[in-house]
């Protein structure tokens, strides 16, 4: 029974495919995989906008939008109608072709990254042998689109915002990939399905499942890798506290300054989709993908667990946006190169030591010490441990 | 025309286009773009021959191309740094105007 | 020829020709990115998945951005007004045509061109990793050394220099008295 619900979408797809004759079957199969993913993430995007605005509002001690429907739930519909009917203003001196192509060039790589995430058991759109590499390779395609958007507007604020965004995305790409490499190293495969299967419950001798799963986040190197991956993922999708390239009070929305109407909605959507993709990959790599957190909860279908983890990440991102202040550009770059990159390299060494020391209690202490000591050294050395002195005031004479 | 000939002709054409651009354009950065195209054409040649070889499990073609991609990226970085340094001194990135030793 | 290969070939060559012929430098760089993506698709057609994804990651994700940054740092963002081709463009084009002619003639007339398509090889990432660590470990280390040297070298070459002679040189736009005054001050 639980197996049937778990494989509900797979059997539904096979049933619909059965109606079509043989030569059409592969095309229909592709359509049946792609359309539900787009619809699901589109709906999640709409839900995320309203969740974000209500959530931010509550954190800032105000109601969010509450006029449009009961408790404001129809706000995304109103936003969508507004985006579609607004006039599309293109600056006179802008480069028309590049200006038009930039939102598309930003959205397409992000949508392509959805193809290797395992949404449930047997529910990967494409089971690539090098799935994780594909994810990061295609994700790197978004940077050039950001440049296209900023440069084609012929506006110095857009160009400045685009340059900062590219520098930020490029710098945080390195810790992102390196913290994923630790997982790949331990599992021995780049395929996302194998990585999720490696984090399954251990089967005891009598066939029953152990209580806790083997999620990598429960190991010292996994926890460090998870934190580093999440921080780098937040920076990759330009969310607060790393949203200087598009901060409204700093640079007047940066690289999508000159975009209005539907193109702006496309940029917005691309940013949220990138957030979902990075959350999905973090859940796959560190939180066990579609696995349940406790063995007596496995009756809940796997696709529910995956979406629950993605929504939990969404809530985390919204919470961070509401509480943390923005980082300055030089603070961002310092953080990426001088703190996160050494920590990811040390994490690699810690994961290797974990693997080679064999099971037991000793490796917990060694790996934890190997990660905590450099953390405090780096933090102290980079000035995070500055002593807070009494505040002094300067008055104009 | 067999598939291998198709890939080799594509690679030869890309090489010729890159060579033409590197020889005829005035801006130093476009010359570098031409050089990158030539390197990529050679990489395509390697992969095509690897695919059609008798012992593809030796992976020689793939590894050569992996190293070639890495080295080409390093060379592009150094070349562009040189162009930026030259621009700072001559105030132009035009290869025809960097001719101080002439005559 | 199969249809996917034809589409990829036409797209790549069109992008490469556009990269060499467009006026605006940033358009050239973007056309080059399309050519890189077309080549990555060709690698995927040839069952070399790791190389295809590495091509996208390195070339589209890094080298293209590097080229674009260099264009902006050398003030090439505006469309140039005078001719984009140098005065000896005919010789260059002739050389390129001759090179293509020789290569195409060699390819079509060689024995290798009659090879059939072998069965799909297995080039998993695990095998590539094994080969890199056993048979090709020396080139791997050398490439690592080379990348480090290139990184440090590129940073040093492109670093802004802050020497006092350059500041004097730059102030030539001021009056003679100012510059001689500065030189006098420096001597004393």
């Amino acid at each position: 029974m639980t197996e049937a619900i778990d494989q509900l979408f797979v059997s539904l797809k096979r049933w619909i495919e059965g109606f079509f004759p043989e030569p059409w079957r592969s095309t229909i199969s592709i359509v049946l995989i792609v359309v539900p993913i787009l619809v699901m993430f589109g709906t999640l995007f709409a839900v995320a906008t309203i969740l974000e605005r209500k959530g931010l509002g509550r954190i800032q001690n105000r109601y969010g939008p509450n006029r449009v429907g009961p408790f404001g739930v129809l706000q995304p519909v109103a936003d969508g109608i507004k985006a579609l009917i607004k006039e599309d203003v293109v600056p006179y001196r802008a480069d028309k072709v590049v200006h038009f192509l930039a939102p598309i060039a930003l959205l397409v790589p992000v949508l392509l990254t959805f193809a290797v995430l395992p949404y449930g058991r047997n529910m990967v759109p494409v089971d690539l042998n090098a799935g994780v590499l594909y994810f990061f390779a295609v994700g790197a395609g978004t940077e050039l689109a950001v440049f296209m958007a900023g440069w084609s507007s012929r506006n110095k604020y857009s160009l400045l915002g685009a340059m900062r965004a590219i520098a930020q995305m490029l710098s945080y790409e390195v810790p992102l990939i390196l913290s994923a490499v630790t997982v790949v190293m331990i599992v021995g495969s780049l395929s996302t399905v194998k990585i999720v299967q490696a984090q399954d419950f251990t089967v005891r001798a009598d066939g029953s499942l152990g209580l806790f799963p083997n999620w990598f986040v429960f190991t010292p190197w996994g926890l460090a890798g998870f934190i580093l991956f999440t921080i780098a993922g937040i920076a990759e999708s330009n969310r607060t506290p790393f949203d200087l390239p598009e901060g409204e009070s700093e640079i007047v929305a940066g690289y999508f300054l000159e975009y209005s109407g539907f193109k702006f909605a496309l940029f917005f959507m691309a940013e949220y989709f990138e957030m979902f993709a990075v959350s999905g990959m973090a859940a796959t790599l560190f939180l066990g993908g579609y696995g349940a957190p406790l063995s007596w909860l496995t009756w809940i279908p796997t696709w529910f667990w995956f979406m629950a983890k993605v929504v939990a990440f969404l809530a985390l991102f919204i919470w961070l946006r509401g509480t943390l202040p923005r980082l300055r550009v030089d603070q961002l770059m310092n953080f990426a190169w001088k703190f996160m990159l050494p920590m990811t390299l040390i994490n690699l060494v810690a994961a290797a030591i974990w693997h080679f020391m064999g099971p037991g209690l000793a490796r917990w202490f060694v790996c934890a010490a190997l990660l905590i000591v450099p953390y405090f050294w780096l933090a102290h050395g980079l000035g995070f441990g500055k002593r807070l002195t009494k505040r002094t005031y300067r008055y104009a004479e | 025309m067999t598939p291998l000939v198709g890939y080799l002709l594509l690679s030869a054409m890309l090489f010729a286009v890159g060579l033409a651009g590197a020889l005829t354009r005035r801006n130093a950065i476009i010359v570098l773009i031409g050089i990158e195209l030539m390197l990529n054409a050679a990489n395509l040649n390697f992969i095509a021959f690897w695919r059609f070889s008798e012992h593809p499990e030796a992976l020689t073609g793939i590894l050569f191309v992996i190293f070639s991609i890495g080295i080409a990226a390093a060379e592009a970085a150094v070349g562009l740094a040189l162009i930026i340094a030259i621009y700072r001194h001559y105030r132009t990135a035009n290869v025809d105007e960097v001719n101080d030793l002439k005559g | 020829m199969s249809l996917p290969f034809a589409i990829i070939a036409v797209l790549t060559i069109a992008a490469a020709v556009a990269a060499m012929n467009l006026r605006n430098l940033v358009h050239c760089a973007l056309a080059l990115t399309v050519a890189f993506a077309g080549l990555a698709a060709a690698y995927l057609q040839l069952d070399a998945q790791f190389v295809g994804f590495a091509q996208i990651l390195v070339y589209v994700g890094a080298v293209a951005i590097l080229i674009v940054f260099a264009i902006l740092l050398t003030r090439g963002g505006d469309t140039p007004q005078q001719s984009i081709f140098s005065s000896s463009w005919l010789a260059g084009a002739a050389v390129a045509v001759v090179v293509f002619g020789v290569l195409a003639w060699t390819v079509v007339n060689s024995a290798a061109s009659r090879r059939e398509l072998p069965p799909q090889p297995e080039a998993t990432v695990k095998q590539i990793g094994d080969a890199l660590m056993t048979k090709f470990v020396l080139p791997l280390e050398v490439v690592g050394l080379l990348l480090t040297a290139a990184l440090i070298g590129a940073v040093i070459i492109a670093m802004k220099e802050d020497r006092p002679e350059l500041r004097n040189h730059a102030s030539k736009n001021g009056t003679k008295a100012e510059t001689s005054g500065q030189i006098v001050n420096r001597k004393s």
Side-chain angles (χ1 to χ4, degrees):
Chain A
M1 177 62 183
T2 58
E3 187 68 29
I5 299 182
D6 194 27
Q7 299 295 301
L8 176 66
F9 294 105
V10 181
S11 17
L12 201 60
K13 171 173 163 279
R14 283 209 203 104
W15 178 69
I16 298 181
E17 258 179 31
F19 285 128
F20 293 89
E22 203 31 71
W24 290 93
R25 206 161 277 187
S26 56
T27 324
I28 292 295
S29 160
I30 294 175
V31 169
L32 281 176
I33 291 176
V34 168
V35 169
I37 291 180
L38 289 178
V39 165
M40 175 183 72
F41 276 112
T43 321
L44 192 60
F45 164 62
V47 167
T49 51
I50 182 64
L51 269 181
E52 166 150 29
R53 291 171 72 172
K54 299 286 281 181
L56 280 180
R58 288 290 175 171
I59 292 177
Q60 293 162 1
N61 205 13
R62 57 180 172 91
Y63 298 122
N66 59 356
R67 301 269 171 180
V68 184
F71 297 107
V73 292
L74 291 181
Q75 181 72 28
V77 177
D79 278 340
I81 296 176
K82 175 198 81 169
L84 286 172
I85 63 178
K86 228 176 177 177
E87 178 191 359
D88 190 19
V89 177
V90 175
Y92 177 70
R93 286 192 62 225
D95 199 336
K96 306 246 175 330
V97 173
V98 180
H99 189 87
F100 181 78
L101 284 177
I104 304 171
L106 186 58
L107 192 58
V108 165
V110 177
L111 284 176
L112 282 176
T113 58
F114 285 145
V116 283
L117 298 175
Y119 299 105
R121 189 161 294 129
N122 303 332
M123 280 167 72
V124 183
V126 183
D127 189 10
L128 281 177
N129 192 5
V132 173
L133 180 64
Y134 166 84
F135 183 87
F136 292 123
V138 174
T142 55
E143 298 166 13
L144 207 59
V146 165
F147 169 76
M148 282 165 71
W151 176 80
S152 66
S153 310
R154 305 293 171 114
N155 182 342
K156 51 172 94 68
Y157 292 113
S158 295
L159 193 58
L160 199 52
M163 289 298 154
R164 287 182 184 177
I166 295 176
Q168 175 184 314
M169 287 167 100
L170 214 54
S171 316
Y172 280 94
E173 191 102 16
V174 183
L176 189 77
I177 296 181
L178 278 178
S179 46
V181 160
T182 44
V183 173
V184 169
M185 190 172 77
I186 296 287
V187 173
S189 163
L190 280 170
S191 158
T192 47
V193 175
K194 288 207 181 58
I195 291 178
V196 171
Q197 283 167 348
Q199 298 179 67
D200 216 346
F201 296 95
T202 42
V203 183
R204 290 202 217 107
D206 56 355
S208 69
L209 301 173
L211 184 59
F212 288 108
N214 293 328
W215 288 2
F216 292 136
V217 77
F218 295 140
T219 60
W221 57 267
L223 184 62
F226 173 64
I227 295 175
L228 290 166
F229 190 91
T230 311
I231 296 177
I234 298 177
E236 278 291 308
S237 39
N238 287 343
R239 294 276 299 180
T240 317
F242 300 103
D243 71 343
L244 191 71
E246 59 175 50
E248 278 135 18
S249 45
E250 308 276 338
I251 200 170
V252 205
Y255 57 92
F256 36 77
L257 172 60
E258 297 284 355
Y259 286 89
S260 55
F262 191 56
K263 293 183 191 159
F264 180 77
L266 279 180
F267 272 114
F268 206 51
M269 191 157 69
E271 180 185 317
Y272 273 84
F273 279 176
E274 187 158 4
M275 211 163 70
F276 298 149
V278 162
S279 318
M281 186 46 92
T284 307
L285 287 173
F286 295 101
L287 290 181
Y290 50 73
L294 291 170
S295 65
W296 42 267
L297 286 176
T298 45
W299 53 272
I300 300 178
T302 52
W303 37 267
F304 174 80
W305 283 118
F306 186 81
M307 288 319 290
K309 288 170 193 174
V310 171
V311 171
F313 269 104
L314 180 64
L316 177 73
F317 287 171
I318 295 175
W319 184 17
L320 284 177
R321 180 173 178 182
T323 34
L324 291 178
R326 199 170 277 151
L327 282 183
R328 224 171 46 217
V329 159
D330 59 327
Q331 288 170 337
L332 267 172
M333 306 289 278
N334 269 345
F335 188 59
W337 292 106
K338 295 188 191 166
F339 181 78
M340 287 190 65
L341 185 60
M343 282 306 295
T344 46
L345 291 172
I346 293 172
N347 197 23
L348 261 176
V349 174
I353 291 179
W354 175 273
H355 181 77
F356 282 113
M357 271 182 82
L361 204 52
R363 62 178 181 173
W364 283 86
F365 287 114
V366 172
C367 290
L370 190 58
L371 284 166
I372 291 180
V373 172
Y375 170 72
F376 280 107
W377 274 351
L378 279 171
H380 186 74
L382 287 176
F384 299 154
K386 276 203 194 75
R387 207 154 269 284
L388 292 173
T389 55
K390 189 166 182 305
R391 184 185 287 207
T392 56
Y393 292 94
R394 267 186 343 175
Y395 294 102
E397 296 300 325
Chain B
M1 182 159 68
T2 62
L4 177 62
V5 167
Y7 282 105
L8 293 180
L9 281 178
L10 170 65
S11 144
M13 203 173 308
L14 276 176
F15 188 86
V17 169
L19 184 64
L23 289 175
T24 56
R25 290 287 299 243
R26 287 167 104 218
N27 196 311
I29 298 183
I30 307 289
V31 171
L32 219 115
I33 289 181
I35 295 176
E36 289 296 320
L37 265 178
M38 287 195 269
L39 276 164
N40 271 291
N43 286 347
L44 181 63
N45 227 338
F46 271 108
I47 297 284
F49 271 117
W50 167 79
R51 176 72 177 86
F52 284 84
S53 66
E54 285 105 29
H55 296 285
E57 64 275 358
L59 292 179
T60 317
I62 289 196
L63 282 165
F64 201 106
V65 168
I66 289 176
F67 290 133
S68 163
I69 289 178
I71 293 178
E75 165 245 332
V78 173
L80 289 167
L82 279 171
I83 294 177
I84 291 176
I86 290 178
Y87 176 81
R88 277 214 196 102
H89 188 67
Y90 285 94
R91 290 280 148 213
T92 175
N94 200 335
V95 293
D96 284 339
E97 292 175 19
V98 182
N99 55 1
D100 265 354
L101 285 177
K102 196 176 198 172
Chain C
M1 300 300 311
S2 61
L3 186 62
F5 170 71
I7 297 178
I8 292 172
V10 165
L11 184 73
T12 310
I13 294 182
V17 170
M20 293 290 114
N21 276 339
L22 286 174
R23 274 202 157 252
N24 194 335
L25 293 185
V26 177
H27 290 170
C28 291
L30 294 175
L32 183 70
T33 311
V34 174
F36 287 155
L39 273 165
Y43 293 152
L44 289 171
Q45 273 277 88
L46 285 168
D47 298 315
Q49 281 124 8
F50 184 76
V51 176
F53 296 143
Q55 162 99 354
I56 297 181
L57 190 61
V58 170
Y59 273 114
V60 173
V63 173
I65 294 180
L66 194 58
I67 291 178
V68 151
F69 263 83
I71 291 176
L72 287 179
L73 280 172
T74 56
R75 310 289 163 87
D78 304 318
T79 316
Q81 295 306 318
Q82 67 270 67
S83 161
I84 49 173
F85 295 107
S86 77
S87 46
S88 59
W89 64 272
L90 192 58
V95 166
V97 166
V98 163
V99 162
F100 174 66
V102 167
L103 283 173
W105 182 84
T106 318
V107 161
V108 168
N109 285 341
S110 71
S113 69
R114 281 174 272 280
R115 285 195 205 167
E116 290 306 316
L117 189 67
Q120 186 169 351
E122 230 212 298
T124 59
V125 182
K126 184 166 176 358
Q127 287 171 340
I128 295 177
D130 281 337
L132 268 177
M133 280 293 151
T134 53
K135 207 167 130 199
F136 289 90
V137 66
L138 191 58
L140 181 70
E141 300 300 326
V142 169
V143 165
L145 206 59
L146 182 132
L147 282 171
T148 313
L151 182 74
I152 299 176
V155 167
I156 290 183
I157 292 176
M159 210 160 58
K160 247 193 169 53
E161 294 176 358
D162 197 35
R163 293 180 299 177
E165 300 92 63
L166 281 185
R167 262 193 249 123
N168 263 346
H169 187 76
S171 70
K172 255 198 317 204
N173 294 332
T175 62
K176 235 19 191 131
E178 273 177 326
T179 43
S180 50
Q182 277 180 353
I183 297 175
V184 164
N185 279 341
R186 200 157 296 283
K187 278 200 188 131
S188 65

